[in-house]
Amino acid sequence: MSVPKTILVAPDSFKGSLSAVNFCRIAEKVGQAHANEIHVLSRPMSDGGEGFVEALIYAGLAEVKKVVVQDPLGRATTAKFAWQPETKTAIVEMAQASGLPLLAPYERNPLKASTYGTGQLLNAAIDLGAEKIILGLGGSATNDGGVGALQSLGFAFLDDQGDPIELGGEALTSLSKIVKKSPGMAENKRKSLDEIEWVIACDVSNPLLGEQGATAVFGPQKGVDEQSFTTLENGLARLADILKKDWHQDIRDLPGAGAAGGMAGSFVGLLNAQLVSGFDLLSELLQLEKLFQTHAIDLVITGEGKMDLQTQFGKLPNRIAELANRYQVPAVGVCGKLEASAAELAAFKDLRSIHEDLAETTSLDVLLAQTDQNLEKTFNRYLTSWLSA
């Protein structure tokens, strides 16, 4: 009896239609139909945004913790984070509390949207005894510079009269002073913010301000228009000025400071957080290198919702393919939509082939609704062909 071939499935999410975990579940389902020929190893991936926490929980590397927090507009929602009790490390995904998917399109309003709920998640982790907090950024509905989260953590953001500013990106235009509160008696039993190791996981290098900054690049998907752009940009500029003047932290041109509406910049400025690649961090936590060293992997399948020429420039599927190539394992990509010509596909040095799972229909709503079925058909077609080759 022949030994089953081992396939590592390590995708990003198909944003808006399929999580990385569900991608893996569909691959496992197809693999079960070929149980005597295929063994599937699943490692759902993320670059720090959607699916970052779920990836660790699915791999059995962390416990799930659930907390009722505020969504971007202040409504109650249940969010989760990952907890590793042995290392006292919490892995928090800001999109769980402050993400765009929590809002209907007509509700998107970065003038009012706040990261306060993310701060509540972080407080829950600190209450558990966290000594290290990894905060994954991405998919935010906010443009408040992370100020809402920091308010929840105990920082006071004050106006000229010494009163606390309101929540939301618009309120930053009235910011005059930032004060770090002393912990109360009830808080003395937990680690202070300075005692915690703060790590920010994100894979964008955008600065805080300007044409490549938080508001200009990521704002439009959050509801930023021409009028609100000026208000939000001025608010972040005011935050940066105060951090430089009073806290001696210059975050204006810091690569990555613009991630999650400027949240990365303020956490560097006020919590001395370290910015790291979300992919590299998750790859280390999931021990992907060790998987290649301890398993005879025959094929890697990765993917994301849309693949185009940008995929080859550091995006998650290409990073997975590069890793596979180092161990001389072929890698293939699966996507919902492929925007690259046959000639352009030749530029993908590490991905052996790319497979589109679109059905023959032009309706985006129908395509999104049928993602699961189309993906299953794509897996069946490819794996049947691969096994018979």
Side-chain angles (χ1 to χ4, degrees):
M1 186 167 152
S2 61
V3 177
K5 293 185 176 181
T6 299
I7 299 175
L8 172 62
V9 181
D12 200 351
S13 64
F14 284 30
K15 292 187 172 52
S17 62
L18 185 76
S19 70
V21 165
N22 283 338
F23 183 110
C24 289
R25 285 177 176 149
I26 293 169
E28 291 165 4
K29 178 182 175 182
V30 174
Q32 287 170 1
H34 300 274
N36 294 328
E37 301 170 283
I38 296 174
H39 171 58
V40 176
L41 292 171
S42 288
R43 290 296 183 271
M45 297 296 296
S46 168
D47 58 7
E50 179 186 354
F52 192 65
V53 164
E54 197 173 21
L56 288 166
I57 295 169
Y58 192 77
L61 298 173
E63 302 173 0
V64 61
K65 299 295 180 181
K66 295 184 179 181
V67 189
V68 176
V69 299
Q70 291 185 16
D71 78 357
L73 297 181
R75 302 167 299 199
T77 188
T78 300
K80 60 187 176 184
F81 65 94
W83 173 244
Q84 295 179 326
E86 303 83 4
T87 60
K88 294 188 177 180
T89 298
I91 301 93
V92 178
E93 181 185 314
M94 69 92 62
Q96 286 276 334
S98 311
L100 206 55
L102 296 172
L103 304 181
Y106 69 88
E107 293 179 316
R108 296 174 184 178
N109 183 4
L111 292 172
K112 302 300 181 184
S114 165
T115 53
Y116 192 87
T118 296
Q120 293 176 304
L121 267 181
L122 297 170
N123 273 319
I126 296 171
D127 287 340
L128 270 180
E131 297 179 357
K132 179 178 181 178
I133 295 179
I134 298 168
L135 177 59
L137 301 187
S140 74
T142 57
N143 209 93
D144 71 345
V147 167
L150 290 161
Q151 286 171 311
S152 180
L153 286 170
F155 284 88
F157 291 79
L158 309 174
D159 61 19
D160 287 333
Q161 285 72 47
D163 296 321
I165 65 171
E166 295 182 1
L167 296 176
E170 182 178 27
L172 296 184
T173 57
S174 62
L175 180 63
S176 179
K177 188 176 183 181
I178 304 172
V179 177
K180 186 177 181 182
K181 296 179 183 178
S182 300
M185 290 296 292
E187 296 176 309
N188 285 334
K189 295 180 181 179
R190 70 179 201 170
K191 292 280 184 183
S192 72
L193 299 180
D194 292 334
E195 293 177 299
I196 295 169
E197 180 184 354
W198 296 91
V199 179
I200 302 293
C202 68
D203 276 354
V204 303
S205 57
N206 301 73
L208 185 68
L209 305 165
E211 292 182 1
Q212 298 300 315
T215 312
V217 174
F218 306 111
Q221 66 185 3
K222 304 175 187 183
V224 173
D225 55 25
E226 189 174 341
Q227 184 175 359
S228 60
F229 172 84
T230 301
T231 300
L232 293 165
E233 186 79 347
N234 289 343
L236 290 179
R238 193 172 185 88
L239 173 64
D241 288 343
I242 292 170
L243 284 174
K244 184 175 181 180
K245 174 176 170 288
D246 297 340
W247 293 78
H248 311 292
Q249 295 282 350
D250 189 356
I251 64 168
R252 273 180 174 263
D253 300 315
L254 176 70
M263 191 172 189
S266 63
F267 270 58
V268 170
L270 292 172
L271 294 175
N272 197 31
Q274 176 190 6
L275 295 182
V276 301
S277 159
F279 172 84
D280 289 343
L281 182 59
L282 189 55
S283 176
E284 180 182 337
L285 290 170
L286 293 176
Q287 300 181 326
L288 289 189
E289 290 266 6
K290 188 175 180 180
L291 276 181
F292 282 94
Q293 295 164 2
T294 58
H295 292 75
I297 297 174
D298 297 286
L299 177 71
V300 170
I301 298 177
T302 185
E304 63 181 344
K306 183 178 77 171
M307 285 187 172
D308 52 27
L309 283 180
Q310 291 303 311
T311 299
Q312 64 179 310
F313 297 112
K315 293 186 76 174
L316 192 148
N318 204 58
R319 296 293 304 277
I320 290 288
E322 288 173 348
L323 177 60
N325 189 48
R326 289 208 299 272
Y327 288 89
Q328 299 181 318
V329 177
V332 299
V334 178
C335 62
K337 187 175 184 181
L338 177 61
E339 292 187 351
S341 67
E344 290 169 337
L345 288 176
F348 291 83
K349 298 177 181 177
D350 297 305
L351 279 170
R352 177 164 294 187
S353 61
I354 299 176
H355 304 267
E356 191 175 30
D357 72 6
L358 291 183
E360 294 181 2
T361 176
T362 57
S363 169
L364 179 60
D365 289 339
V366 172
L367 290 174
L368 293 176
Q370 294 178 348
T371 299
D372 289 30
Q373 302 97 297
N374 292 335
L375 184 60
E376 185 174 343
K377 290 176 184 176
T378 301
F379 280 141
N380 270 315
R381 277 196 311 270
Y382 178 75
L383 291 177
T384 299
S385 173
W386 180 67
L387 287 168
S388 63

